[in-house]
Amino acid sequence: MNMKGVLMSGLRMSLCSTAIVAAVLSFSTTAQAQDQEEPQTLFTNVHVFDGVNEQRIENASVLVEGNLIKVVSTDAIDAPNAEVIDGGGRTLTPGFIELHAHLMLMGPSIASMETNSTWEDFGIHGTRMAEMYLMQGFTTVRDAGGANGGLRRAIDAGQIVGPRHYASGAFLGTRGGHADFASFTSPPGGQTNFGNLNMAQQVSGVDDVYLYGRNNMRMGATQLKFMQSGGVISAFDPWQLLAGSKEEIEAAVQVATEYGTYVMAHSYRKEAIMNALEAGVMSIEHGFSFDCEIAEIMNEKGAYITTNLTAFDPGLLDIPSVKNEPKSLAKAISASATFANYIPNMKECPVKRGFQTDCVGSVEACNIQIAYEKHLNNEFFGPYQSMVTLTSIGGEVVALSGDFSNPYTAGKLGVIEEGAYADILLIDGNPLEDFSMVGTGDQWFGADPRPDSPETIRLIMKDGVIYKNTLD
């Protein structure tokens, strides 16, 4: 290479180096500017229920930076660039957490969903349910079967409005069990609508549990759901069913453990609950036969329970789908007699119990059922325990999905504290004294349609973004 070539090569290298340095400096400056420009929201003049303690933090301020809570203080907070929201002496609480929903299941019956529903029907219903839940104050929902990861992707990408979504993928259960949604004449191993959409899968043996459990995780599940017991309204299964061998349930736990997460089990009978806990299940769903012996084991293992308290409603036997179906009515009468001691047992030997609605049906019907479930929590357990159930316990349960199956690991959920996610409600009055402020309803079937969002929940923030604000 001649001298001119050497000089030109050196010049190009020098210019390239200068460009790289300039780019690095520009990126550094931009990154610093972005850090400095993280949006802030300052809530003042609020009384804070932190999700844990019975006494509110009186006359407090809460500073949100980005999507996290930065400061909680009874002193004035210096944040000159923050958007200031005067809470007017209202109660600031964590966003509510629903631990047992089915956002994709629109009803009106399993048979209809199996034979007459397309993926579009399920998707549209799930979209509407997601928005309804958020507007009812639920900033996080754990989906207990029937939904894969697509709904969460759409919510997190801002394509649709909804809560944080913890999906379970397909229900896992045995032939003839509570996850068997196939039509009556469907042969064993036959294709089903629910199976094709990975909403429910029949398992027969450990290998099936491995196959479909791992597929659920592949499809975006954050935990697995195993159906041990039967149900009341379902077609083939007595509620007393003990479905799934010890080895099958342990296989589900093994798959979940591989992904750093856990199993939730649909369990009615005491034997089913004990089998689940022995196998390593961490979340008992329904658990209607709960007693003090179960409580001792749950507390020892750090396990949780979620129970739909509508099961103890005195009008349960008058529900049309129960009253008009002799087989379901007989099951309901038998179940009600067996489950009668749940409430006194839970009061005598409490364990960590999360909020559960378990609604399958129209958006309007589920809106009513959610409000009624809130009401029953207060009727049976009082306002403080109901608020804890709606918030911090829910946060503990969804955190069981671990470090890499949990899609939301930047902060804690269900609490108001520094470093927690900015999932926040502003509620009129004091729900620890007047629980109706959270948006309760004292009637289930036959109730009038409910508003899209309770008037007493004045502000809803999720992930630092305000979705409702009626303070002005």
Side-chain angles (χ1 to χ4, degrees), residues 54-71:
E54 190 163 2
Q55 299 300 318
R56 298 183 305 174
I57 305 171
E58 302 288 331
N59 303 312
S61 295
V62 176
L63 178 63
V64 170
E65 185 171 86
N67 66 340
L68 301 176
I69 296 171
K70 186 173 184 179
V71 182

Side-chain angles (χ1 to χ4, degrees), residues 124 201 207 228 284 348:
I124 291 168
Q201 300 290 1
D207 287 345
Q228 282 184 287
I284 301 297
E348 180 182 353

Side-chain angles (χ1 to χ4, degrees), residues 173-223:
T174 59
R175 174 76 171 176
H178 204 54
D180 183 353
F181 297 156
S183 60
F184 182 71
T185 56
S186 176
Q191 287 192 336
T192 67
N193 192 29
F194 276 93
N196 291 336
L197 297 173
N198 199 53
M199 297 177 70
Q201 300 290 1
Q202 294 178 29
V203 299
S204 181
V206 167
D207 287 345
D208 279 351
V209 176
Y210 288 154
L211 175 66
Y212 292 118
R214 288 171 179 146
N215 187 60
N216 274 346
M217 300 308 298
R218 181 180 184 272
M219 296 293 289
T222 54
Q223 66 283 324

Side-chain angles (χ1 to χ4, degrees), residues 212-432:
Y212 292 118
R214 288 171 179 146
N215 187 60
N216 274 346
M217 300 308 298
R218 181 180 184 272
M219 296 293 289
T222 54
Q223 66 283 324
L224 298 179
K225 170 80 174 294
F226 197 95
M227 307 293 251
Q228 282 184 287
S229 298
V232 172
I233 300 176
S234 45
F236 313 117
D237 46 325
W239 70 261
Q240 301 96 330
L241 182 68
L242 286 175
S245 67
K246 175 177 180 289
E247 292 76 17
E248 287 171 327
I249 301 170
E250 288 176 341
V253 172
Q254 178 186 326
V255 172
T257 302
E258 292 170 357
Y259 286 84
T261 185
Y262 68 101
V263 173
M264 51 195 297
H266 169 102
S267 309
Y268 281 17
R269 278 178 64 179
K270 180 173 181 177
E271 293 89 338
I273 298 171
M274 300 288 270
N275 290 346
L277 294 170
E278 182 180 349
V281 169
M282 291 300 293
S283 183
I284 301 297
E285 305 306 300
H286 312 297
F288 297 129
S289 298
F290 173 86
D291 63 16
C292 290
E293 183 181 3
I294 292 171
E296 183 176 356
I297 296 172
M298 288 185 65
N299 286 325
E300 176 186 324
K301 293 180 176 292
Y304 296 79
I305 190 170
T306 82
T307 305
N308 45 320
L309 301 181
T310 48
F312 308 112
D313 179 76
L316 183 67
L317 301 182
D318 294 324
I319 297 173
S321 58
V322 173
K323 183 178 181 179
N324 299 331
E325 176 54 55
K327 183 177 179 181
S328 293
L329 180 60
K331 289 201 288 183
I333 292 171
S334 169
S336 296
T338 304
F339 304 158
N341 291 324
Y342 174 95
I343 301 296
N345 287 340
M346 184 62 69
K347 290 180 178 179
E348 180 182 353
C349 305
V351 297
K352 290 190 172 183
R353 180 183 60 86
F355 185 89
Q356 176 193 146
T357 304
D358 193 29
C359 184
V360 173
S362 71
V363 174
E364 294 75 18
C366 288
N367 190 345
I368 292 170
Q369 187 171 334
I370 290 166
Y372 190 58
E373 185 69 34
K374 290 177 181 177
H375 166 77
L376 290 178
N377 267 267
N378 182 51
E379 286 290 297
F380 294 139
F381 298 105
Y384 167 65
Q385 189 56 54
S386 298
M387 288 297 291
V388 171
T389 295
L390 276 165
T391 56
S392 60
I393 291 178
E396 291 178 19
V397 171
V398 295
L400 293 175
S401 54
D403 293 330
F404 45 92
S405 289
N406 185 353
Y408 312 108
T409 58
K412 293 173 68 174
L413 292 169
V415 293
I416 300 296
E417 64 179 48
E418 294 178 10
Y421 275 116
D423 291 6
I424 290 170
L425 307 178
L426 270 182
I427 300 175
D428 284 342
N430 181 359
L432 295 168

Side-chain angles (χ1 to χ4, degrees), residues 147-161:
N148 297 288
L151 196 62
R152 179 177 65 248
R153 291 198 301 272
I155 292 169
D156 291 351
Q159 295 175 332
I160 62 175
V161 172

